[in-house]
Amino acid sequence: MALLQIAEPGQSEAPHQHKLAVGIDLGTTNSLVASVKSGEAVTIPDIDGQHLLPSVVRYMPCGNHLVGAEARTYAASDPDNTIISVKRLMGRGVSDLKTLGDEAPYQFDVNDGGMPYIKTAAGNKSPVQVSADILKTLVARAEEALGGELTGAVITVPAYFDDAQRQATKDAATLANIKVLRLLNEPTAAAVAYGLDQGKEGVIAVYDLGGGTFDISILRLNKGVFEVLSTGGDSALGGDDLDLALADWIAQQLDIDIDGNSVSRYLMEKSKQAKEVLSGADEATIDLEIKGRKQSITVTRAKFDELVSPLVKRTIRACRRALKDASVEAEDVLEVVMVGGSTRVPLVREEVKQFFAREPHIKIDPDCVVAVGASIQADVLAGNKPDSGMLLLDVIPLSLGIETMGGLTEKIIHRNTSIPVARAQEFTTYQDGQTAMAIHVVQGERELVSDCRSLARFVLRGIPPMAAGAAKIRVTYQVDADGLLGVHAKELTSGVESSIQVKPSYGLGDVEIAEMLKASYLNAAEDKDMRALREQQVDADRLIVSLQDALVADGKQLLSPDEYKLLESEIEKLIELRNGSDLVAIERGVAALSKASDEYASRRMDHSIQKALQGHSIDELGESE
Amino acid sequence: MAITMTDAAAEHVARYIEKRGHGAGIRLGVRTSGCSGMAYVLEFVDEVQDEDEVFDGPQDVRIVIDPKSLLYLDGTELDFVKEGLNEGFKFNNPNVSSECGCGESFNV
């Protein structure tokens, strides 16, 4: 039978009306599910009392699969079929995988769409399917614990995830049969868990040191909206590295040969335990038994701090860079939130506190804080808090734009615009009689398309033939509350339309996004010059093409052979200038050619009027006025 | 006429109220709805109404109930139980003649 939870005064749900909603932290190393029960957001443990679900799936030849701790035990013995850290593959194309190098040890199979499939004993699995299997396990756990079917879930993603990676996450949820109420940025979720969204407006730093990754996010709370000012970190630095530093030291002290895989794993496990002890005690004793030989060693907190200090310093350097990217000073930071199990290490807390010169938030279990924040948001979105004004908004991490003539990016939605949002812009045709227009959707901050990320392409066909510039094509970009993009193009005079939903094809890594942002600042001036040049080139092209067309149509008829030749050579001159990169010269060339063709243009005008008037009497014209 | 609660229930109510930061007790009640006619109400109490009856439970937790609901709930014991992964509050109500399958609503 259903067990009751306590409601706020006057807000008891009618029976069978309470909507069960959860928050899911779909992590690289571990995943969690949380829900709000009797007004309290808590993570939900499995039957063994474990809250963390290792994000590991093992596929077996019989077609079945294992998820979690049991699957993880096969990571070493059956690496091809045991998928770990699948989050790193979400929304990535095959070409991206090559850059991951050793991090992607699986056998890949490439299909037509460029989506990588992992070859396993149970068949080819896409990263989306693997993530869906993890989600299914979490949902089954939640439905059992809450005693009913879930209305929906809020799933968290890193702040630097691009559209393709977000879409892949959403697809995984769909595949696992979960309704996604919202995708929420992980640092935002952590801030929500501490109720910072209800607090003072200002800059918030979220320091997330997980098992294998480090992320620092600088957010700004502004009118109920969390803007991501910058993100940074190190995708190959985490708690495991702290363990390794200690394990190396122990091996050195006791003269242990750590060549063997099992010995090093054993030492890592022991080091991890010692690290956890040292979070509460001043020293830890490690008892070892290797090949029948019993040994014991004591490590003090001071020694441990000394060993891991270089690693912690690295995270602080990343914090400094992130602040610089966000153009804020450490003293501007109002609140600091700690996320990830490794932030339990006292030295980490101490260094973070010193750097930001304020006490970081550590009250909520750093492993659970993201899931807890997501569940609070899920509870509101499911409609369980009717009088709550909390409507959390997120922003677009990188600008969304469209390619225009000359390979330039026209930004349609700027970065840090709060979502959901829809923006439209009108474009026109470039050539006479143009009946189709290619729409190229790009994401990034740079002026040239070649420096941005290509997200999608489609063609609007069936534009009625008109003079260049007469067609009106409205292109609408719509980003829903999950940060996913739909693009719609419509020719307004004829009503023909076409649209596309951005699907996962290729994604950007955190490092790449950071690089792209940095590049946009560094190259701002150069980009601007390049843009001016390209615009001038497009201008020149337009003039050249229209003149060439005109000459073919009636040049011989309206111009003397000398005039014709002169105009032709002037066009040649501009083509030459246009292919160069001298902005001013092209500008002068365009002016010169316009002037040279003025006389021809007015003759054409007279000619076409004469033609229109032929066969009509003056009276007729008067009547039609 | 009395309403009681088990120690387990009192412990959880006390903890939830502390987490919430404020609250004068726990309100039990019934209202008409649901597939078997009546449904239980379980809410935090911010204000005790004049007509409310108040009972003292263990751990200084106050049980608040309106007189009409008391007719249906007299003798009820509020319990906190764990069933597998699921945990929550349960009304042990001697007046119930039939319950819907899920236990969220009942008849007297």
Side-chain angles (χ1 to χ4, degrees), chain B residues 32-77:
Chain B
T32 51
S33 70
C35 42
S36 288
M38 305 250 199
Y40 293 117
V41 169
L42 188 63
E43 293 174 353
F44 292 110
V45 178
D46 282 331
E47 253 173 79
V48 178
Q49 305 297 320
D50 286 344
E51 71 271 19
D52 281 340
E53 298 257 5
V54 178
F55 301 96
D56 289 323
Q59 305 205 12
D60 299 329
V61 173
R62 297 210 296 170
I63 306 168
V64 180
I65 186 165
D66 66 284
K68 228 170 96 191
S69 293
L70 188 56
L71 289 175
Y72 298 100
L73 290 179
D74 188 28
T76 294
E77 178 196 58

Side-chain angles (χ1 to χ4, degrees), chain A residues 1-16 37-38 40 45-47 141 144-145 147, chain B residues 15-16 19-20 26 31 33-35 39-44 46 81 83 85-91 102 104:
Chain A
M1 78 170 253
L3 298 172
L4 295 160
Q5 307 295 337
I6 311 173
E8 284 295 306
Q11 290 181 12
S12 284
E13 303 279 336
H16 318 291
K37 291 168 83 177
S38 294
E40 183 191 20
D46 68 3
I47 204 84
R141 182 198 286 186
E144 202 180 322
Chain B
R15 193 167 64 84
Y16 287 137
K19 278 243 169 192
R20 185 169 174 260
I26 182 90
R31 56 176 177 175
S33 70
C35 42
Y40 293 117
V41 169
L42 188 63
E43 293 174 353
F44 292 110
D46 282 331
V81 295
E83 292 176 355
L85 285 177
N86 191 2
E87 55 180 22
F89 295 92
K90 193 174 166 181
F91 284 68
C102 68
E104 278 191 38

Side-chain angles (χ1 to χ4, degrees), chain A residues 458-480:
Chain A
F458 68 104
V459 178
L460 176 67
R461 290 180 203 285
I463 303 170
M466 284 181 254
K472 276 190 180 159
I473 292 134
R474 171 170 292 167
V475 178
T476 309
Y477 276 41
Q478 185 163 11
V479 180
D480 68 14

Side-chain angles (χ1 to χ4, degrees), chain A residues 238-538:
Chain A
D240 300 345
D241 297 290
L242 305 186
D243 301 342
L244 186 63
L246 182 55
D248 281 346
W249 178 77
I250 295 169
Q252 202 188 348
Q253 294 296 307
L254 298 180
D255 206 11
I256 299 169
D257 184 14
I258 51 166
D259 274 353
N261 212 344
S262 62
V263 174
S264 96
R265 277 247 297 273
Y266 175 71
L267 260 186
M268 283 284 281
E269 192 51 44
K270 286 287 181 185
S271 301
K272 188 179 171 159
Q273 287 165 9
K275 174 184 78 177
E276 285 164 15
V277 170
L278 285 170
S279 290
D282 284 335
E283 57 177 49
T285 304
I286 304 151
D287 296 311
L288 298 167
E289 187 178 341
I290 295 168
K291 292 178 187 134
R293 194 165 134 237
K294 283 192 182 171
Q295 283 174 300
S296 179
I297 186 168
T298 299
V299 57
T300 61
R301 166 93 65 81
K303 185 70 213 171
F304 177 71
D305 286 355
E306 182 194 321
L307 292 170
V308 302
S309 174
L311 298 169
V312 180
K313 288 272 194 300
R314 249 166 81 189
T315 69
I316 298 297
R317 278 201 294 275
C319 292
R320 192 169 290 131
R321 275 198 301 275
L323 284 177
K324 202 166 152 242
D325 287 350
S327 307
V328 293
E329 302 291 327
E331 59 259 32
D332 299 336
V333 175
L334 214 58
E335 310 271 3
V336 180
V337 176
M338 298 292 249
V339 182
S342 304
T343 58
R344 292 196 186 88
V345 173
L347 181 70
V348 172
R349 291 182 176 177
E350 188 50 42
E351 291 279 339
V352 171
K353 179 182 158 188
Q354 264 188 18
F355 178 71
F356 289 104
R358 67 196 61 244
E359 280 299 337
H361 287 279
I362 51 171
K363 220 175 77 199
I364 303 175
D365 183 336
D367 281 323
C368 302
V369 63
V370 168
V372 162
S375 75
I376 293 170
Q377 182 71 7
D379 195 45
V380 175
L381 290 173
N384 289 332
K385 276 195 166 174
D387 65 345
S388 164
M390 178 172 128
L391 179 69
L392 197 56
L393 295 170
D394 259 326
V395 294
I396 299 177
L398 289 171
S399 299
L400 295 162
I402 189 168
E403 174 171 356
T404 59
M405 285 306 293
L408 294 172
T409 312
E410 179 82 31
K411 285 175 191 156
I412 297 199
I413 302 178
H414 287 262
R415 82 184 264 267
N416 279 336
T417 303
S418 60
I419 49 179
V421 63
R423 293 268 160 83
Q425 203 155 322
E426 272 182 26
F427 293 90
T428 187
T429 45
Y430 176 76
Q431 279 186 345
D432 289 341
Q434 185 179 341
T435 57
M437 181 183 253
I439 311 240
H440 184 197
V441 183
V442 296
Q443 186 166 28
E445 306 309 311
R446 302 284 298 273
E447 296 283 355
L448 297 187
V449 166
S450 51
D451 295 325
C452 291
R453 187 68 167 192
S454 166
L455 286 179
R457 287 170 191 273
F458 68 104
V459 178
L460 176 67
R461 290 180 203 285
I463 303 170
M466 284 181 254
K472 276 190 180 159
I473 292 134
R474 171 170 292 167
V475 178
T476 309
Y477 276 41
Q478 185 163 11
V479 180
D480 68 14
D482 302 317
L484 299 174
L485 171 69
V487 178
H488 180 244
K490 183 176 185 178
E491 203 288 306
L492 297 177
T493 56
S494 63
V496 292
E497 53 194 320
S498 180
S499 63
I500 198 168
Q501 198 70 33
V502 174
K503 282 280 166 200
S505 50
Y506 306 103
L508 294 174
D510 45 346
V511 182
E512 285 171 273
I513 289 205
E515 288 291 316
M516 281 172 76
L517 277 178
K518 218 188 292 167
S520 79
Y521 301 133
L522 292 178
N523 300 308
E526 197 182 303
D527 273 8
K528 226 175 109 201
D529 292 347
M530 192 57 120
R531 184 181 188 96
L533 174 63
R534 288 290 176 92
E535 279 174 350
Q536 201 57 67
Q537 285 173 333
V538 170

Side-chain angles (χ1 to χ4, degrees), chain A residues 74-92:
Chain A
Y74 292 94
S77 60
D78 186 17
D80 281 355
N81 298 314
T82 308
I83 316 301
I84 57 167
S85 301
V86 73
K87 189 173 175 181
R88 293 182 200 268
L89 307 178
M90 292 292 273
R92 300 288 186 117

Side-chain angles (χ1 to χ4, degrees), chain B residues 2-25:
Chain B
I3 304 283
T4 57
M5 70 199 301
T6 62
D7 285 339
E11 200 177 294
H12 280 89
V13 171
R15 193 167 64 84
Y16 287 137
I17 289 176
E18 196 195 320
K19 278 243 169 192
R20 185 169 174 260
H22 57 101

